[in-house]
C-alpha cells in the first residue's frame, strides 16, 4: 500500500511529518546552513514490492552559491527504538545555487515506522 | 675529542626526542559514520555509499519482484555470491564490499543466501561426522537438504583515474548483477558511480 504525507514546519530548521506510527523529523543541524537551505517537501510511502518505508525530502538552495552538505537517515521501529543499520553513514552531497534536490532514503527492513533525516555542513574525518 | 663527544651526545638526544615524538602521536576514535577524506583512494565512505544504494535498489526493484513471482511463486530468492572483480589499479578488498551488501540484504529479510562455495567442504565434512554415529541421531543433520541457489550475485569495480599538475580526479563505478542460474538471464543490474577530486 502506498501512502503519502505532507509536512509541517515547527522551527526554522526542523520539519515534521506524521508517518504510520510516530512522528518523523527532517533536521538541518547548522544554524548558518538553514539560512540557505530550505526543506520544501517531504513524501513518505511504503514501497510497493517490499513494503519498506521510503522517504523523499526535497531541499532547496535559496542562495546563488553551491553548497556542500552531508545527510544521514536514522530509522525507528513502532516503539521508537532505533533500528541498527550497518550501512548507516553521512552522505556527502552538492546542491547548486537555487537547485531543488530530492534526497531519498529507504528503511533497512520492514520494522521501520518513522525516521529522522539530519542535514549538516561537511564534517569530514581527514 | 671532547667536542666530538659533545656533538655525538647532542645528536643522540635529538634522535631519542624524535623517536619519543613518533611514539607520542595522538590517537583518537572517530565516528565510523562520518565522511572520510584522508586520501582520494577508495575508502570506507565509498563502501558505505555503494552498499547502501545497492541494498536499497535490490530490496525494492520491481524486476526482482517480478522474477520472484514468475519463478518462485513469490518466495524469496536464494542467492549465491559469485565472482567480484576489482578492475581498478588499487588494491581493494572486493569481498569486504560484497559482504557489506550481503549483510544488508540478509538483514532486510528480503533475500536468502546460499553458503559460499569455499564453505561447502566444511559443511559436508560436518554432515559426514554427524552421520558417523557419534552425534545424537535426533540432532544429526542429513544430506540432501541444502538450499539450491536461484541466482548468481556478481559484479565488478572499475575506475578512470586522471592526474594533472598535482590534481587528480578518480571516477569509480561499481556494477552488480543477479543472473538466473536456470535461465542464464540477467534478472537485475545496477551501477553506482562516485567521483572524487584531489585539488
Amino acid at each position: 500500500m502506498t501512502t503519502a504525507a505532507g509536512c509541517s514546519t515547527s522551527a526554522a530548521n526542523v520539519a515534521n511529518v506524521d508517518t504510520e506510527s510516530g512522528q518523523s523529523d527532517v533536521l538541518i543541524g547548522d544554524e548558518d546552513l538553514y539560512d540557505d537551505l530550505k526543506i520544501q517537501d517531504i513524501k513518505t510511502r511504503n514501497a510497493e514490492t517490499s513494503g519498506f518505508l521510503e522517504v523523499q525530502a526535497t531541499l532547496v538552495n535559496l542562495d546563488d552559491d553551491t553548497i556542500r552538505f552531508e545527510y544521514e537517515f536514522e530509522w525507528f521501529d513502532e516503539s521508537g527504538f532505533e533500528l541498527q543499520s550497518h550501512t548507516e553513514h553521512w552522505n556527502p552531497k552538492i546542491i547548486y545555487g537555487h537547485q531543488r534536490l530530492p534526497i531519498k532514503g529507504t528503511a533497512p527492513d520492514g520494522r521501520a515506522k518513522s525516521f529522522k533525516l539530519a542535514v549538516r555542513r561537511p564534517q569530514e574525518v581527514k | 675529542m671532547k667536542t666530538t663527544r659533545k656533538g655525538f651526545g647532542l645528536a643522540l638526544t635529538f634522535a631519542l626526542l624524535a623517536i619519543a615524538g613518533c611514539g607520542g602521536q595522538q590517537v583518537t576514535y572517530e565516528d565510523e559514520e562520518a565522511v572520510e577524506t584522508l586520501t582520494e583512494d577508495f575508502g570506507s565512505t565509498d563502501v558505505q555509499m555503494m552498499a547502501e544504494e545497492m541494498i536499497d535498489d535490490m530490496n525494492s526493484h520491481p524486476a526482482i519482484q517480478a522474477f520472484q513471482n514468475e519463478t518462485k511463486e513469490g518466495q524469496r530468492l536464494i542467492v549465491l555470491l559469485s565472482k567480484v572483480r576489482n578492475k581498478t589499479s588499487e588494491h581493494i578488498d572486493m569481498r569486504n564490499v560484497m559482504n557489506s551488501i550481503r549483510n544488508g540484504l540478509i538483514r532486510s529479510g528480503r533475500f536468502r543466501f546460499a553458503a559460499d562455495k569455499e564453505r561447502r567442504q566444511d559443511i559436508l565434512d560436518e554432515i559426514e561426522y554427524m552421520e558417523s554415529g557419534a552425534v545424537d541421531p535426533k540432532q544429526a543433520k542429513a544430506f540432501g537438504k541444502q538450499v539450491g541457489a536461484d541466482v548468481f550475485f556478481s559484479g565488478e569495480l572499475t575506475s578512470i583515474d586522471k592526474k594533472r599538475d598535482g590534481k587528480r580526479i578518480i571516477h569509480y563505478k561499481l556494477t552488480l548483477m543477479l543472473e538466473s542460474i536456470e535461465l542464464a538471464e540477467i534478472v537485475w543490474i545496477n551501477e553506482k558511480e562516485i567521483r572524487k577530486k584531489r585539488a
Side-chain angles (χ1 to χ4, degrees):
Chain A
M1 191 181 138
T2 305
T3 56
C7 68
S8 63
T9 306
S10 61
N13 62 331
V14 185
N16 315 112
V17 56
D18 287 322
T19 41
E20 203 178 327
S21 46
Q23 188 180 280
S24 300
D25 300 315
V26 180
L27 168 75
I28 296 179
D30 296 293
E31 206 172 319
D32 63 328
L33 198 58
Y34 62 73
D35 285 339
D36 298 329
L37 271 188
K38 189 185 155 201
I39 307 154
Q40 193 179 56
D41 179 42
I42 306 167
K43 287 188 170 77
T44 66
R45 68 178 181 187
N46 292 98
E48 236 170 81
T49 49
S50 63
F52 293 2
L53 181 61
E54 288 183 332
V55 179
Q56 180 179 279
T58 303
L59 297 178
V60 184
N61 182 357
L62 301 174
D63 203 53
D64 295 332
D65 298 329
T66 297
I67 298 172
R68 287 180 187 276
F69 67 96
E70 297 174 351
Y71 71 89
E72 185 183 48
F73 278 98
E74 287 173 10
W75 304 94
F76 303 90
D77 68 13
E78 61 185 343
S79 309
F81 279 80
E82 189 184 349
L83 296 173
Q84 203 187 22
S85 166
H86 71 281
T87 55
E88 204 166 270
H89 63 282
W90 287 93
N91 276 281
K93 204 80 186 166
I94 293 169
I95 183 167
Y96 299 106
H98 302 287
Q99 187 191 359
R100 288 175 80 252
L101 183 72
I103 292 173
K104 204 179 153 201
T106 306
D109 61 53
R111 292 173 298 167
K113 301 295 179 202
S114 61
F115 69 93
K116 189 179 107 183
L117 168 61
V119 177
R120 70 179 188 188
R121 291 265 185 214
Q123 293 180 28
E124 296 138 344
V125 177
K126 293 180 180 178
Chain B
M1 187 71 184
K2 264 186 180 178
T3 317
T4 314
R5 273 190 188 164
K6 200 176 173 182
F8 176 73
L10 272 171
L12 187 65
T13 308
F14 281 126
L16 286 171
L17 279 172
I19 292 166
C22 288
Q25 279 177 341
Q26 198 187 1
V27 176
T28 55
Y29 283 98
E30 295 293 336
D31 178 5
E32 69 278 7
E33 293 173 14
V35 176
E36 173 259 308
T37 55
L38 189 65
T39 72
E40 69 277 22
D41 293 336
F42 196 78
S44 57
T45 300
D46 303 316
V47 176
Q48 288 169 324
M49 285 166 68
M50 287 177 164
E52 185 184 48
E53 184 150 327
M54 292 298 182
I55 293 165
D56 287 354
D57 195 46
M58 284 182 75
N59 275 337
S60 58
H61 203 283
I64 297 174
Q65 187 67 45
F67 181 77
Q68 216 168 280
N69 294 342
E70 283 164 22
T71 62
K72 297 206 72 184
E73 295 174 339
Q75 295 291 305
R76 290 181 297 164
L77 292 182
I78 299 171
V79 184
L80 180 63
L81 189 51
S82 181
K83 289 194 173 81
V84 276
R85 294 185 185 89
N86 171 19
K87 289 187 166 178
T88 72
S89 53
E90 294 174 50
H91 171 74
I92 296 168
D93 182 356
M94 286 305 293
R95 206 70 190 176
N96 177 43
V97 178
M98 297 303 278
N99 280 345
S100 285
I101 297 169
R102 183 167 59 175
N103 285 352
L105 293 172
I106 292 175
R107 292 174 62 84
S108 76
R110 296 270 298 155
F111 294 90
R112 299 170 68 188
F113 274 78
D116 288 339
K117 280 183 183 174
E118 305 84 70
R119 297 284 302 142
R120 284 180 186 165
Q121 195 53 52
D122 283 347
I123 293 166
L124 289 176
D125 289 349
E126 190 58 27
I127 295 175
E128 237 167 59
Y129 169 72
M130 285 184 179
E131 293 207 327
S132 69
V135 175
D136 180 348
K138 288 178 195 161
Q139 293 172 26
K141 307 295 178 282
F143 281 107
K145 291 190 172 180
Q146 292 182 14
V147 295
D150 301 303
V151 285
F152 279 136
F153 184 31
S154 62
E156 63 179 34
L157 182 70
T158 57
S159 68
I160 300 167
D161 194 353
K162 290 195 168 182
K163 295 170 196 165
R164 196 179 71 185
D165 303 332
K167 290 180 186 171
R168 184 183 180 202
I169 290 182
I170 184 155
H171 183 100
Y172 294 103
K173 187 170 84 173
L174 177 69
T175 307
L176 294 184
M177 67 170 84
L178 286 180
E179 290 163 294
S180 163
I181 295 171
E182 193 167 52
L183 306 176
E185 175 194 359
I186 297 172
V187 174
W188 166 91
I189 188 163
N190 195 9
E191 294 178 345
K192 168 69 181 172
E193 293 171 272
I194 291 174
R195 180 172 290 158
K196 297 166 90 175
K197 181 180 170 186
R198 182 187 65 201

